[in-house]
Amino acid sequence: MNLTGEKLCEKFASCVNSRPLKRAARYRVGVDLGTANVVVAVVDEDGEPVAGKLKKAQVVRDGLVVDFVGARDILTKMIQELCDELGEELVDAACAVPPGTGMADSKATMYVVEASGLEVRNIVDEPSAAAKVLGITNGAVVDIGGGTTGISVLREGKVVYTADEPTGGTHFTLVLAGHFNLPFDEAENIKLDEKNQKRLFPILKPTMEKVTDITKRHIQGFDVGTIYLVGGASALYGLKDVMSNVLGIEVVVPQYPLYVTPLGIALSCP
Ligand SMILES: Nc1ncnc2c1ncn2[C@@H]1O[C@H](COP(=O)(O)OP(=O)(O)OP(=O)(O)O)[C@@H](O)[C@H]1O
Ligand SMILES: [Mg+2]
């Protein structure tokens, strides 16, 4: 990952669910509707992060909107809060869908964003948005989100292969819930506390190996020099090493993997 991308993510992380960093002449909004989180990124005319919001939500499954009203209400509230904090109307936006999403499902995502008061200027695919921030044109982007792992192979800036498999952060939590006999939410909190992650590694390793196997299967036949992990679950302690050891390929995890795609979506807004 290039330094510019890392710095942008760091800057964005510093303002998510906090105060806006500055006023700008123009604002561009990126909306990432995920299985686990809805993330809104706001950047200025030069692509500098200005403000952001993250909210846990269950309005999307496998990248597709399953609760239109819920999604609209959550997003409308997030956008309203951002407008209040910035003292400005937000209008121009981009949103993203998993690669290969059909027209009807892309429109559902667009309608949610427009129902929140924004105007959709661009719809991008998620790995291309991530690649923009990572500063890459070749390699594999593996997005380990809440519900799924999305594998995309990029060649000369184009997504040439894509797949989505139903194993993600939720499955790591389910494994912990089963192991410790705890409700899902408690297991999720234990997982997210970075102090615990080293101790949890042996319990979570088989699921990491599963994600690695999935990745291996899908990148076979492509000349992948580097794998870039994005999505919240790729921050898990040990996952990067399991993957690089098994696959024998360089694996890069940015410092803020949760924010790469949302930021890339905002940067894709003209
Ligand atoms: N620091 C962390 N360590 C481990 N897991 C994390 C961390 N932060 C977030 N996660 C996990 O990442 C997942 C959410 O990631 P993300 O926001 O990228 O998913 P999403 O975009 O909502 O889902 P999807 O891409 O599957 O639609 C959750 O399962 C959460 O538990
Ligand atoms: Mg996602």
Side-chain angles (χ1 to χ4, degrees), residues 164-175:
D164 222 25
E165 295 267 359
T167 300
T170 303
H171 302 83
F172 288 103
T173 306
L174 287 172
V175 167

Side-chain angles (χ1 to χ4, degrees), residues 22-28 42-50 266-267:
K22 62 171 189 175
R23 295 289 179 83
R26 205 167 86 74
Y27 298 101
R28 299 143 72 198
V42 185
V43 300
D44 70 7
E45 60 280 15
D46 300 321
E48 288 274 319
V50 172
L267 296 176

Side-chain angles (χ1 to χ4, degrees), residues 22-56:
K22 62 171 189 175
R23 295 289 179 83
R26 205 167 86 74
Y27 298 101
R28 299 143 72 198
V29 183
V31 177
D32 187 354
L33 297 173
T35 308
N37 296 307
V38 174
V39 185
V40 178
V42 185
V43 300
D44 70 7
E45 60 280 15
D46 300 321
E48 288 274 319
V50 172
K53 293 269 173 219
L54 177 146
K55 199 151 180 36
K56 279 191 185 175

